[in-house]
Amino acid sequence: MASASLFDELYREVILDHSRNPKNRGRLAAPTRTAEGMNPVCGDEVILDLTFDRECLSCLAFDGQGCAISQASASLMTERLTGVSRGEAREVCLAVRSMLVQGGEPAAILGDLEALHGVAKFPVRVKCAMLAWTLLEGILEPEEYSPGGRSS
Ligand code: ZN
């Protein structure tokens, strides 16, 4: 098992790579849902577009500006969640929130999103990393569902 500092180094590389070369950056032509938000503490802005194909998140894209962590978190999200079911996206959302906000260990379902684990040590930066996820939580459920209702 490698040392903690080596893991920190690897995480930093993933975050820098995604902030410099973001995936799925831009707007979708006809998104099913859109959410827009900001983190005034840091000046981060994210716009999230999402297209559903039945229960599947067929396309995700984000636009915005801000610090490396806010933009890398959104980029990692679009990469991890494109093509997954609504149920899996919900599980990944919960796992991200657990890791970043509740101090939990990273779950296997996170994949590359585990790179954000180091952010949990810095509460001010957690707001940066959570911006895109908070937006997603707001548009993940069908509009007729009440928030918090879990069917799977
Ligand atoms: Zn930020």
Side-chain angles (χ1 to χ4, degrees):
M1 186 152 178
S3 71
S5 63
L6 176 58
F7 276 113
D8 284 349
E9 202 60 43
L10 290 171
Y11 293 156
R12 207 156 23 235
E13 267 177 40
V14 172
I15 289 169
L16 284 175
D17 183 44
H18 274 265
S19 70
R20 286 175 185 148
N21 305 297
K23 308 289 193 296
N24 305 300
R25 189 174 180 90
R27 305 296 307 272
L28 298 179
T32 315
R33 305 289 302 271
T34 293
E36 189 171 349
M38 62 181 302
N39 168 23
V41 177
C42 182
D44 306 319
E45 294 174 21
V46 169
I47 303 168
L48 186 64
D49 284 340
L50 178 57
T51 303
F52 284 105
D53 180 5
R54 296 193 188 85
E55 279 297 294
C56 178
L57 283 67
S58 52
C59 285
L60 290 101
F62 81 99
D63 210 344
Q65 55 186 348
C67 69
I69 291 173
S70 67
Q71 305 302 302
S73 182
S75 174
L76 280 158
M77 169 205 279
T78 62
E79 191 175 60
R80 173 66 185 82
L81 296 184
T82 296
V84 312
S85 69
R86 196 193 299 270
E88 182 173 347
R90 205 183 281 134
E91 282 182 46
V92 173
C93 268
L94 288 172
V96 168
R97 188 169 281 284
S98 166
M99 173 177 77
L100 289 180
V101 180
Q102 290 145 6
E105 286 300 307
I109 196 172
L110 290 171
D112 281 351
L113 287 163
E114 190 181 342
L116 295 168
H117 188 205
V119 175
K121 286 180 280 190
F122 306 99
V124 171
R125 310 319 299 276
V126 166
K127 290 190 172 65
C128 302
M130 285 303 295
L131 175 58
W133 296 89
T134 304
L135 294 175
L136 178 67
E137 285 167 344
I139 56 174
L140 193 53
E141 307 303 330
E143 290 187 72
E144 64 268 27
Y145 282 24
S146 63
R150 292 185 194 126
S151 56
S152 65

